[in-house]
Amino acid sequence: MSETRSDGELLRAVAEDADRRAFEELYRRYAPWLTARMRSRCADAGIVDDVVQETFLAVWRGTARYREGAAGAAGAAGTSSGTRGAHGARGDAAGWLWRIASRRLIDALRGAGARGRLRQTLARLRHRDEVSAEERVLAGVEHGDLAGALVRLSPELRAVLQATVVDGLTTREAAVLLGIPPGTVKTRAMRARKQLREALA
């Protein structure tokens, strides 16, 4: 029987039977369209290709489940067995794939930004014996010994101040960058500010 299967049938075959042919047909049907849509959102072709691959990998592994009757609900616990016409679910499946891919694109772009900040921080740590422009300016501050107070802070407290004050990261971003919980970032920032106030009083 050479009849074209609906999206719902293909997705059910992938989810319930790990049907490789159904997966390949779904990929051929939607990967070019999804890639074109993603490229309109992100100029980095490498990130787009990774996002499309991760989207279909989530479908294959079953970490994203399609429910025909739920208009593209992502991450549902199973599939429904509602009946539709041969292509009745096409719009739903396309929207569902788009939502998975767009979430993955946001995660990838956030990750790329965090990786860039991490690389910059690591580069600064490698050259921490060199006096930075900020440290030279701070050393010249006439109102109190701010540079000396900063140097006397423990490396952990100084790293939190660097991330949150100098780099302008949020508590959550600083936590990811430093590899510590957000609550620890807040606590260390409060301790660092208290020590600086006492040192400059």
Side-chain angles (χ1 to χ4, degrees):
M1 188 160 126
S2 61
E3 188 176 319
T4 303
R5 291 190 280 183
S6 72
D7 294 338
E9 290 168 333
L10 293 174
L11 287 162
R12 264 195 309 279
V14 170
E16 296 170 5
D17 305 324
D19 184 332
R20 188 177 187 86
R21 286 188 179 157
F23 178 75
E24 289 170 356
E25 187 177 337
L26 188 71
Y27 185 86
R28 280 192 303 275
R29 189 177 289 178
Y30 284 108
W33 168 83
L34 193 56
T35 301
R37 291 232 21 215
M38 286 284 118
R39 286 194 175 148
S40 72
R41 305 281 180 174
C42 176
D44 188 327
I47 289 177
V48 168
D49 290 343
D50 287 347
V51 164
V52 171
Q53 296 304 318
E54 287 174 20
T55 299
F56 281 96
L57 192 58
V59 173
W60 176 253
R61 288 181 174 164
T63 54
R65 292 287 177 101
Y66 175 78
R67 291 188 307 150
E68 264 186 287
T79 58
S80 75
S81 57
T83 57
R84 290 188 173 228
H87 297 287
R90 184 174 289 258
D92 290 347
W96 176 71
L97 288 168
W98 169 250
R99 280 186 283 282
I100 295 169
S102 60
R103 287 183 193 125
R104 296 213 186 296
L105 179 62
I106 290 167
D107 291 344
L109 293 174
R110 284 180 181 157
R115 282 191 296 277
R117 288 190 298 274
L118 181 58
R119 279 195 294 274
Q120 289 174 351
T121 299
L122 291 175
R124 280 194 300 269
L125 290 175
R126 276 189 227 108
H127 304 292
R128 66 177 168 229
D129 295 334
E130 300 171 14
V131 178
S132 69
E134 292 92 349
E135 288 170 340
R136 283 196 292 270
V137 169
L138 289 173
V141 172
E142 294 179 14
H143 304 290
D145 184 18
L146 182 57
L150 285 170
V151 169
R152 286 189 294 276
L153 288 176
S154 69
E156 296 85 17
L157 298 182
R158 203 171 330 128
V160 167
L161 277 186
Q162 171 80 31
T164 57
V165 177
V166 177
D167 295 339
L169 300 179
T170 65
T171 300
R172 185 173 292 152
E173 290 168 335
V176 170
L177 181 68
L178 299 171
I180 57 176
T184 304
V185 171
K186 290 178 183 177
T187 302
R188 289 182 183 175
M190 288 188 321
R191 282 179 39 212
R193 288 186 180 108
K194 181 180 178 194
Q195 286 182 23
L196 285 176
R197 275 193 298 273
E198 290 170 357
L200 296 173

